[in-house]
Amino acid sequence: MPAPASALPARGPPTIIPIVAIGASAGGLEAASRLFEALPANLGMAFILVQHLDPNHPT
């Protein structure tokens, strides 16, 4: 049986988290790695990295 509505915690407005998309060609892997190493862990953003790699390029 679910808890009565009065027992549930109050909800505030939804949290907005910025999403940052980064695209790079095969040569950008090192630059992207350096960027992520330099950013603080608690930045409050989500990152998507789209990386094009040559099939013979080490990952």
Side-chain angles (χ1 to χ4, degrees):
M1 180 173 189
S6 61
L8 298 175
R11 291 187 185 183
T15 302
I16 297 173
I17 300 173
I19 299 173
V20 179
I22 301 171
S25 63
L29 186 58
E30 181 182 345
S33 296
R34 290 174 52 194
L35 170 68
F36 289 125
E37 288 171 0
L39 293 175
N42 60 350
L43 195 56
M45 297 179 177
F47 289 87
I48 299 171
L49 175 62
V50 179
Q51 179 76 46
H52 173 265
L53 293 178
D54 183 299
N56 300 319
H57 190 276
T59 59

